[in-house]
Amino acid sequence: MSWLNPVNLVGQYVSLEVLTMDHLDGLKEAVLDGESWRLWYANVPSPETMSQYIQKAIMRAEEGELAFAVRCLQTQKIVGTTRYYHVDAKNKRARLGYTWYAQSVRKTPINTESKFLLLQHLFDNHKAMAVEFRTHFFNQASRKAIERLGAKQDGILRCDQIMRDGSIRDTVVYSILGTEWGAVKNNLRSKLNR
């Protein structure tokens, strides 16, 4: 049995729905808003590769990963995706990532609440020891968003990955520890209540 069982998470602004092929059309529409797949430093699927992206995420659920489609409750539209990956049940750790959103919902409460729900589920329901985030060194928007959550930088893994264009990625690693969750939770709640 997986440490993280499939569960939908619902907040005030978003619903995180366990990813299925039923989300294909909504995710295709979302990725067209901003064309994030064109960013050289991001691993965002194009509309043409979205079906394979979803199928791969579903297959990885057998390894304990859990991917979500992000639905904006105000519009009822699918606006992006996020997931738990590299789930380590023995050491009560997981990574949060594979996150991307439609341009129209960036710098709104969508990402803050999505991450709040994911972190709350891991720390409060599963007593996680730590949650990790990883991003490309040059992805400044992602780095700032991770830091706004309250994550602390652990370091930079140099020459960590070969990107699809052949360039080499330096990966910035961040984490939130279980002992930090109380303060991070209060901070995120405060942001969402503003």
Side-chain angles (χ1 to χ4, degrees):
M1 180 183 247
S2 173
W3 183 45
L4 302 176
N5 295 320
V7 61
N8 293 335
L9 303 171
V10 181
Q12 179 180 351
Y13 303 101
V14 298
S15 171
L16 302 181
E17 303 170 5
V18 175
L19 187 63
T20 70
M21 290 307 295
D22 292 339
H23 295 110
L24 177 61
D25 291 339
L27 287 172
K28 279 185 176 181
E29 186 178 328
V31 82
L32 285 168
D33 179 1
E35 300 185 347
S36 298
W37 74 90
R38 297 188 190 279
L39 298 171
W40 70 272
Y41 52 76
N43 286 316
V44 177
S46 67
E48 296 78 26
T49 61
M50 191 65 70
S51 179
Q52 295 95 322
Y53 181 84
I54 294 171
Q55 288 171 0
K56 190 173 181 180
I58 292 168
M59 285 175 35
R60 291 175 76 163
E62 295 171 12
E63 300 165 19
E65 296 189 10
L66 186 54
F68 299 91
V70 180
R71 184 180 301 278
C72 173
L73 292 177
Q74 182 179 9
T75 65
Q76 287 301 305
K77 287 187 172 186
I78 297 296
V79 295
T81 184
T82 191
R83 75 176 75 160
Y84 297 119
Y85 71 108
H86 277 269
V87 176
D88 181 350
K90 179 182 174 195
N91 293 299
K92 297 187 174 192
R93 296 180 66 96
R95 293 182 192 164
L96 295 187
Y98 290 88
T99 302
W100 58 265
Y101 296 107
Q103 178 70 37
S104 58
V105 299
R106 292 184 198 149
K107 298 188 178 176
T108 71
I110 298 290
N111 184 54
T112 302
E113 187 171 60
S114 293
K115 293 301 189 297
F116 174 80
L117 292 170
L118 291 166
L119 290 166
Q120 182 178 45
H121 186 62
L122 278 176
F123 286 121
D124 292 349
N125 298 337
H126 295 284
K127 307 302 179 208
M129 298 273 295
V131 174
E132 187 177 303
F133 304 84
R134 293 182 174 214
T135 192
H136 196 297
F137 179 82
F138 286 108
N139 192 341
Q140 293 300 318
S142 178
R143 291 176 68 177
K144 287 178 183 173
I146 293 168
E147 290 167 7
R148 275 194 307 272
L149 294 172
K152 294 185 174 122
Q153 184 177 317
D154 293 324
I156 299 173
L157 302 175
R158 300 181 61 198
C159 292
D160 184 46
Q161 288 180 357
I162 299 172
M163 301 296 287
R164 63 181 171 218
D165 68 356
S167 64
I168 306 298
R169 167 177 152 157
D170 289 347
T171 300
V172 186
V173 180
Y174 295 87
S175 66
I176 298 172
L177 304 180
T179 55
E180 299 166 338
W181 171 234
V184 170
K185 183 191 322 190
N186 289 339
N187 184 49
L188 293 175
R189 278 191 176 140
S190 174
K191 287 178 186 291
L192 289 167
N193 290 332
R194 275 187 241 150

